PDB file of all heavy atoms in Angstrom:
ATOM      1  N   ALA A   1      67.254 -11.366  11.376  1.00 88.00           N
ATOM      2  CA  ALA A   1      66.348 -10.238  11.547  1.00 88.00           C
ATOM      3  C   ALA A   1      65.180 -10.633  12.535  1.00 88.00           C
ATOM      4  O   ALA A   1      64.834  -9.851  13.407  1.00 88.00           O
ATOM      5  CB  ALA A   1      65.757  -9.794  10.221  1.00 88.00           C
ATOM      6  N   LEU A   2      64.672 -11.854  12.373  1.00 91.00           N
ATOM      7  CA  LEU A   2      63.578 -12.282  13.237  1.00 91.00           C
ATOM      8  C   LEU A   2      64.016 -12.440  14.688  1.00 91.00           C
ATOM      9  O   LEU A   2      63.358 -11.916  15.608  1.00 91.00           O
ATOM     10  CB  LEU A   2      63.009 -13.641  12.744  1.00 91.00           C
ATOM     11  CG  LEU A   2      61.935 -14.299  13.629  1.00 91.00           C
ATOM     12  CD1 LEU A   2      60.728 -13.347  13.867  1.00 91.00           C
ATOM     13  CD2 LEU A   2      61.520 -15.631  13.083  1.00 91.00           C
ATOM     14  N   LEU A   3      65.149 -13.125  14.920  1.00 91.00           N
ATOM     15  CA  LEU A   3      65.635 -13.279  16.282  1.00 91.00           C
ATOM     16  C   LEU A   3      66.018 -11.931  16.901  1.00 91.00           C
ATOM     17  O   LEU A   3      65.753 -11.661  18.066  1.00 91.00           O
ATOM     18  CB  LEU A   3      66.845 -14.238  16.268  1.00 91.00           C
ATOM     19  CG  LEU A   3      66.547 -15.668  15.810  1.00 91.00           C
ATOM     20  CD1 LEU A   3      67.805 -16.501  15.747  1.00 91.00           C
ATOM     21  CD2 LEU A   3      65.539 -16.352  16.753  1.00 91.00           C
ATOM     22  N   GLY A   4      66.613 -11.052  16.075  1.00 90.00           N
ATOM     23  CA  GLY A   4      66.959  -9.747  16.606  1.00 90.00           C
ATOM     24  C   GLY A   4      65.737  -8.946  16.937  1.00 90.00           C
ATOM     25  O   GLY A   4      65.715  -8.241  17.969  1.00 90.00           O
ATOM     26  N   SER A   5      64.681  -9.115  16.155  1.00 92.00           N
ATOM     27  CA  SER A   5      63.446  -8.342  16.414  1.00 92.00           C
ATOM     28  C   SER A   5      62.820  -8.821  17.717  1.00 92.00           C
ATOM     29  O   SER A   5      62.170  -8.000  18.415  1.00 92.00           O
ATOM     30  CB  SER A   5      62.446  -8.533  15.248  1.00 92.00           C
ATOM     31  OG  SER A   5      61.826  -9.794  15.274  1.00 92.00           O
ATOM     32  N   ILE A   6      62.977 -10.079  18.074  1.00 94.00           N
ATOM     33  CA  ILE A   6      62.419 -10.579  19.335  1.00 94.00           C
ATOM     34  C   ILE A   6      63.151  -9.996  20.497  1.00 94.00           C
ATOM     35  O   ILE A   6      62.572  -9.591  21.536  1.00 94.00           O
ATOM     36  CB  ILE A   6      62.474 -12.140  19.353  1.00 94.00           C
ATOM     37  CG1 ILE A   6      61.563 -12.695  18.277  1.00 94.00           C
ATOM     38  CG2 ILE A   6      62.028 -12.663  20.722  1.00 94.00           C
ATOM     39  CD1 ILE A   6      61.636 -14.234  18.116  1.00 94.00           C
ATOM     40  N   VAL A   7      64.475  -9.906  20.376  1.00 91.00           N
ATOM     41  CA  VAL A   7      65.240  -9.267  21.487  1.00 91.00           C
ATOM     42  C   VAL A   7      64.831  -7.834  21.633  1.00 91.00           C
ATOM     43  O   VAL A   7      64.591  -7.318  22.724  1.00 91.00           O
ATOM     44  CB  VAL A   7      66.770  -9.311  21.140  1.00 91.00           C
ATOM     45  CG1 VAL A   7      67.562  -8.568  22.202  1.00 91.00           C
ATOM     46  CG2 VAL A   7      67.273 -10.772  21.074  1.00 91.00           C
ATOM     47  N   VAL A   8      64.680  -7.118  20.477  1.00 91.00           N
ATOM     48  CA  VAL A   8      64.221  -5.706  20.512  1.00 91.00           C
ATOM     49  C   VAL A   8      62.831  -5.579  21.200  1.00 91.00           C
ATOM     50  O   VAL A   8      62.619  -4.752  22.032  1.00 91.00           O
ATOM     51  CB  VAL A   8      64.183  -5.131  19.105  1.00 91.00           C
ATOM     52  CG1 VAL A   8      63.482  -3.780  19.085  1.00 91.00           C
ATOM     53  CG2 VAL A   8      65.602  -4.971  18.545  1.00 91.00           C
ATOM     54  N   SER A   9      61.918  -6.453  20.794  1.00 94.00           N
ATOM     55  CA  SER A   9      60.533  -6.398  21.377  1.00 94.00           C
ATOM     56  C   SER A   9      60.528  -6.745  22.830  1.00 94.00           C
ATOM     57  O   SER A   9      59.787  -6.154  23.638  1.00 94.00           O
ATOM     58  CB  SER A   9      59.581  -7.280  20.596  1.00 94.00           C
ATOM     59  OG  SER A   9      59.922  -8.642  20.696  1.00 94.00           O
ATOM     60  N   PHE A  10      61.368  -7.726  23.221  1.00 94.00           N
ATOM     61  CA  PHE A  10      61.455  -8.080  24.678  1.00 94.00           C
ATOM     62  C   PHE A  10      61.912  -6.905  25.531  1.00 94.00           C
ATOM     63  O   PHE A  10      61.381  -6.568  26.564  1.00 94.00           O
ATOM     64  CB  PHE A  10      62.380  -9.283  24.863  1.00 94.00           C
ATOM     65  CG  PHE A  10      61.733 -10.606  24.675  1.00 94.00           C
ATOM     66  CD1 PHE A  10      60.565 -10.733  23.928  1.00 94.00           C
ATOM     67  CD2 PHE A  10      62.239 -11.746  25.263  1.00 94.00           C
ATOM     68  CE1 PHE A  10      59.955 -11.962  23.720  1.00 94.00           C
ATOM     69  CE2 PHE A  10      61.626 -12.998  25.100  1.00 94.00           C
ATOM     70  CZ  PHE A  10      60.468 -13.094  24.319  1.00 94.00           C
ATOM     71  N   LEU A  11      63.010  -6.270  25.048  1.00 90.00           N
ATOM     72  CA  LEU A  11      63.550  -5.103  25.782  1.00 90.00           C
ATOM     73  C   LEU A  11      62.675  -3.930  25.690  1.00 90.00           C
ATOM     74  O   LEU A  11      62.558  -3.128  26.593  1.00 90.00           O
ATOM     75  CB  LEU A  11      64.950  -4.836  25.315  1.00 90.00           C
ATOM     76  CG  LEU A  11      66.069  -5.584  25.950  1.00 90.00           C
ATOM     77  CD1 LEU A  11      66.204  -5.270  27.458  1.00 90.00           C
ATOM     78  CD2 LEU A  11      65.984  -7.098  25.733  1.00 90.00           C
ATOM     79  N   ALA A  12      61.959  -3.760  24.556  1.00 91.00           N
ATOM     80  CA  ALA A  12      60.942  -2.687  24.427  1.00 91.00           C
ATOM     81  C   ALA A  12      59.827  -2.883  25.426  1.00 91.00           C
ATOM     82  O   ALA A  12      59.369  -1.937  26.034  1.00 91.00           O
ATOM     83  CB  ALA A  12      60.438  -2.645  23.000  1.00 91.00           C
ATOM     84  N   ALA A  13      59.392  -4.094  25.576  1.00 92.00           N
ATOM     85  CA  ALA A  13      58.345  -4.376  26.554  1.00 92.00           C
ATOM     86  C   ALA A  13      58.811  -4.096  27.983  1.00 92.00           C
ATOM     87  O   ALA A  13      58.010  -3.611  28.817  1.00 92.00           O
ATOM     88  CB  ALA A  13      57.895  -5.838  26.437  1.00 92.00           C
ATOM     89  N   SER A  14      60.096  -4.365  28.275  1.00 90.00           N
ATOM     90  CA  SER A  14      60.589  -4.075  29.617  1.00 90.00           C
ATOM     91  C   SER A  14      60.646  -2.590  29.892  1.00 90.00           C
ATOM     92  O   SER A  14      60.472  -2.194  31.067  1.00 90.00           O
ATOM     93  CB  SER A  14      62.010  -4.666  29.734  1.00 90.00           C
ATOM     94  OG  SER A  14      62.962  -3.863  29.063  1.00 90.00           O
ATOM     95  N   ALA A  15      60.776  -1.741  28.887  1.00 87.00           N
ATOM     96  CA  ALA A  15      60.832  -0.311  29.036  1.00 87.00           C
ATOM     97  C   ALA A  15      59.456   0.344  28.900  1.00 87.00           C
ATOM     98  O   ALA A  15      59.308   1.546  29.234  1.00 87.00           O
ATOM     99  CB  ALA A  15      61.800   0.313  28.043  1.00 87.00           C
ATOM    100  N   ALA A  16      58.471  -0.360  28.379  1.00 88.00           N
ATOM    101  CA  ALA A  16      57.155   0.214  28.091  1.00 88.00           C
ATOM    102  C   ALA A  16      56.482   0.846  29.307  1.00 88.00           C
ATOM    103  O   ALA A  16      55.871   1.921  29.182  1.00 88.00           O
ATOM    104  CB  ALA A  16      56.279  -0.835  27.479  1.00 88.00           C
ATOM    105  N   PRO A  17      56.590   0.275  30.534  1.00 88.00           N
ATOM    106  CA  PRO A  17      55.892   0.896  31.642  1.00 88.00           C
ATOM    107  C   PRO A  17      56.583   2.165  32.150  1.00 88.00           C
ATOM    108  O   PRO A  17      56.034   2.936  32.950  1.00 88.00           O
ATOM    109  CB  PRO A  17      55.953  -0.208  32.757  1.00 88.00           C
ATOM    110  CG  PRO A  17      56.334  -1.447  32.074  1.00 88.00           C
ATOM    111  CD  PRO A  17      57.104  -1.086  30.889  1.00 88.00           C
ATOM    112  N   THR A  18      57.810   2.461  31.719  1.00 83.00           N
ATOM    113  CA  THR A  18      58.630   3.568  32.244  1.00 83.00           C
ATOM    114  C   THR A  18      57.853   4.917  32.265  1.00 83.00           C
ATOM    115  O   THR A  18      57.822   5.583  33.322  1.00 83.00           O
ATOM    116  CB  THR A  18      59.953   3.727  31.510  1.00 83.00           C
ATOM    117  OG1 THR A  18      60.730   2.555  31.717  1.00 83.00           O
ATOM    118  CG2 THR A  18      60.740   4.923  31.982  1.00 83.00           C
ATOM    119  N   PRO A  19      57.226   5.332  31.142  1.00 83.00           N
ATOM    120  CA  PRO A  19      56.531   6.633  31.164  1.00 83.00           C
ATOM    121  C   PRO A  19      55.272   6.663  32.038  1.00 83.00           C
ATOM    122  O   PRO A  19      54.765   7.711  32.342  1.00 83.00           O
ATOM    123  CB  PRO A  19      56.202   6.913  29.699  1.00 83.00           C
ATOM    124  CG  PRO A  19      57.035   5.968  28.954  1.00 83.00           C
ATOM    125  CD  PRO A  19      57.266   4.785  29.782  1.00 83.00           C
ATOM    126  N   LEU A  20      54.805   5.449  32.451  1.00 85.00           N
ATOM    127  CA  LEU A  20      53.526   5.351  33.167  1.00 85.00           C
ATOM    128  C   LEU A  20      53.721   5.258  34.670  1.00 85.00           C
ATOM    129  O   LEU A  20      52.754   5.298  35.410  1.00 85.00           O
ATOM    130  CB  LEU A  20      52.757   4.174  32.658  1.00 85.00           C
ATOM    131  CG  LEU A  20      52.094   4.310  31.274  1.00 85.00           C
ATOM    132  CD1 LEU A  20      51.626   2.980  30.739  1.00 85.00           C
ATOM    133  CD2 LEU A  20      50.920   5.281  31.362  1.00 85.00           C
ATOM    134  N   TYR A  21      54.936   5.097  35.157  1.00 84.00           N
ATOM    135  CA  TYR A  21      55.180   4.853  36.562  1.00 84.00           C
ATOM    136  C   TYR A  21      54.622   6.010  37.415  1.00 84.00           C
ATOM    137  O   TYR A  21      54.003   5.772  38.486  1.00 84.00           O
ATOM    138  CB  TYR A  21      56.648   4.703  36.861  1.00 84.00           C
ATOM    139  CG  TYR A  21      57.176   3.320  36.489  1.00 84.00           C
ATOM    140  CD1 TYR A  21      58.440   3.104  35.926  1.00 84.00           C
ATOM    141  CD2 TYR A  21      56.403   2.154  36.736  1.00 84.00           C
ATOM    142  CE1 TYR A  21      58.930   1.857  35.635  1.00 84.00           C
ATOM    143  CE2 TYR A  21      56.901   0.886  36.434  1.00 84.00           C
ATOM    144  CZ  TYR A  21      58.153   0.722  35.891  1.00 84.00           C
ATOM    145  OH  TYR A  21      58.626  -0.522  35.570  1.00 84.00           O
ATOM    146  N   GLU A  22      54.831   7.230  37.000  1.00 79.00           N
ATOM    147  CA  GLU A  22      54.317   8.338  37.826  1.00 79.00           C
ATOM    148  C   GLU A  22      52.762   8.333  37.837  1.00 79.00           C
ATOM    149  O   GLU A  22      52.189   8.619  38.876  1.00 79.00           O
ATOM    150  CB  GLU A  22      54.798   9.679  37.241  1.00 79.00           C
ATOM    151  CG  GLU A  22      54.503  10.867  38.134  1.00 79.00           C
ATOM    152  CD  GLU A  22      55.045  12.166  37.658  1.00 79.00           C
ATOM    153  OE1 GLU A  22      55.640  12.192  36.555  1.00 79.00           O
ATOM    154  OE2 GLU A  22      54.896  13.176  38.342  1.00 79.00           O
ATOM    155  N   HIS A  23      52.142   7.972  36.745  1.00 83.00           N
ATOM    156  CA  HIS A  23      50.698   7.827  36.672  1.00 83.00           C
ATOM    157  C   HIS A  23      50.237   6.749  37.645  1.00 83.00           C
ATOM    158  O   HIS A  23      49.274   6.964  38.416  1.00 83.00           O
ATOM    159  CB  HIS A  23      50.223   7.521  35.286  1.00 83.00           C
ATOM    160  CG  HIS A  23      48.786   7.134  35.201  1.00 83.00           C
ATOM    161  ND1 HIS A  23      47.753   8.002  35.210  1.00 83.00           N
ATOM    162  CD2 HIS A  23      48.208   5.832  35.079  1.00 83.00           C
ATOM    163  CE1 HIS A  23      46.613   7.353  35.121  1.00 83.00           C
ATOM    164  NE2 HIS A  23      46.861   6.054  35.061  1.00 83.00           N
ATOM    165  N   TYR A  24      50.910   5.631  37.653  1.00 89.00           N
ATOM    166  CA  TYR A  24      50.563   4.519  38.609  1.00 89.00           C
ATOM    167  C   TYR A  24      50.715   4.997  39.993  1.00 89.00           C
ATOM    168  O   TYR A  24      49.896   4.658  40.867  1.00 89.00           O
ATOM    169  CB  TYR A  24      51.439   3.320  38.295  1.00 89.00           C
ATOM    170  CG  TYR A  24      51.256   2.635  36.952  1.00 89.00           C
ATOM    171  CD1 TYR A  24      52.339   2.069  36.287  1.00 89.00           C
ATOM    172  CD2 TYR A  24      49.968   2.597  36.344  1.00 89.00           C
ATOM    173  CE1 TYR A  24      52.138   1.423  35.052  1.00 89.00           C
ATOM    174  CE2 TYR A  24      49.842   1.969  35.147  1.00 89.00           C
ATOM    175  CZ  TYR A  24      50.887   1.377  34.496  1.00 89.00           C
ATOM    176  OH  TYR A  24      50.726   0.730  33.283  1.00 89.00           O
ATOM    177  N   ASP A  25      51.779   5.715  40.305  1.00 86.00           N
ATOM    178  CA  ASP A  25      52.024   6.188  41.641  1.00 86.00           C
ATOM    179  C   ASP A  25      50.829   7.075  42.150  1.00 86.00           C
ATOM    180  O   ASP A  25      50.373   6.991  43.273  1.00 86.00           O
ATOM    181  CB  ASP A  25      53.320   6.985  41.746  1.00 86.00           C
ATOM    182  CG  ASP A  25      54.524   6.058  41.676  1.00 86.00           C
ATOM    183  OD1 ASP A  25      54.374   4.879  41.919  1.00 86.00           O
ATOM    184  OD2 ASP A  25      55.645   6.588  41.371  1.00 86.00           O
ATOM    185  N   VAL A  26      50.397   7.948  41.255  1.00 85.00           N
ATOM    186  CA  VAL A  26      49.260   8.856  41.589  1.00 85.00           C
ATOM    187  C   VAL A  26      47.985   8.094  41.820  1.00 85.00           C
ATOM    188  O   VAL A  26      47.282   8.272  42.780  1.00 85.00           O
ATOM    189  CB  VAL A  26      49.143   9.991  40.545  1.00 85.00           C
ATOM    190  CG1 VAL A  26      47.868  10.809  40.826  1.00 85.00           C
ATOM    191  CG2 VAL A  26      50.376  10.872  40.501  1.00 85.00           C
ATOM    192  N   VAL A  27      47.664   7.239  40.860  1.00 89.00           N
ATOM    193  CA  VAL A  27      46.357   6.546  40.862  1.00 89.00           C
ATOM    194  C   VAL A  27      46.330   5.472  41.949  1.00 89.00           C
ATOM    195  O   VAL A  27      45.327   5.302  42.611  1.00 89.00           O
ATOM    196  CB  VAL A  27      46.059   5.948  39.488  1.00 89.00           C
ATOM    197  CG1 VAL A  27      44.820   5.094  39.516  1.00 89.00           C
ATOM    198  CG2 VAL A  27      45.945   7.003  38.439  1.00 89.00           C
ATOM    199  N   TRP A  28      47.411   4.751  42.137  1.00 91.00           N
ATOM    200  CA  TRP A  28      47.451   3.651  43.056  1.00 91.00           C
ATOM    201  C   TRP A  28      48.086   3.978  44.396  1.00 91.00           C
ATOM    202  O   TRP A  28      48.267   3.084  45.249  1.00 91.00           O
ATOM    203  CB  TRP A  28      48.113   2.416  42.432  1.00 91.00           C
ATOM    204  CG  TRP A  28      47.483   1.947  41.201  1.00 91.00           C
ATOM    205  CD1 TRP A  28      46.143   2.110  40.860  1.00 91.00           C
ATOM    206  CD2 TRP A  28      48.087   1.173  40.158  1.00 91.00           C
ATOM    207  NE1 TRP A  28      45.906   1.493  39.646  1.00 91.00           N
ATOM    208  CE2 TRP A  28      47.036   0.927  39.165  1.00 91.00           C
ATOM    209  CE3 TRP A  28      49.352   0.716  39.921  1.00 91.00           C
ATOM    210  CZ2 TRP A  28      47.304   0.221  37.999  1.00 91.00           C
ATOM    211  CZ3 TRP A  28      49.639  -0.003  38.736  1.00 91.00           C
ATOM    212  CH2 TRP A  28      48.576  -0.271  37.782  1.00 91.00           C
ATOM    213  N   GLY A  29      48.502   5.209  44.593  1.00 89.00           N
ATOM    214  CA  GLY A  29      49.122   5.577  45.840  1.00 89.00           C
ATOM    215  C   GLY A  29      50.487   5.076  46.090  1.00 89.00           C
ATOM    216  O   GLY A  29      50.855   4.675  47.211  1.00 89.00           O
ATOM    217  N   GLY A  30      51.266   5.092  45.021  1.00 85.00           N
ATOM    218  CA  GLY A  30      52.676   4.611  45.148  1.00 85.00           C
ATOM    219  C   GLY A  30      53.630   5.721  45.434  1.00 85.00           C
ATOM    220  O   GLY A  30      53.244   6.850  45.775  1.00 85.00           O
ATOM    221  N   SER A  31      54.915   5.449  45.309  1.00 84.00           N
ATOM    222  CA  SER A  31      55.958   6.421  45.638  1.00 84.00           C
ATOM    223  C   SER A  31      57.188   6.078  44.763  1.00 84.00           C
ATOM    224  O   SER A  31      57.174   5.162  43.974  1.00 84.00           O
ATOM    225  CB  SER A  31      56.357   6.303  47.092  1.00 84.00           C
ATOM    226  OG  SER A  31      56.942   5.057  47.393  1.00 84.00           O
TER     227      SER A  31
END
């Protein structure tokens, strides 16, 4: 359970910025 939870949290962290990318593009002038 512990090792599996670390895999889950690592991949969750990799997906965490996904909903914010459009905000970053607007604020920082991205595309």
Side-chain angles (χ1 to χ4, degrees):
L2 174 59
L3 295 175
S5 75
I6 295 175
V7 176
V8 169
S9 64
F10 274 24
L11 273 296
S14 75
T18 296
L20 286 167
Y21 281 142
E22 189 176 3
H23 168 79
Y24 293 146
D25 287 341
V26 172
V27 174
W28 299 336
S31 64

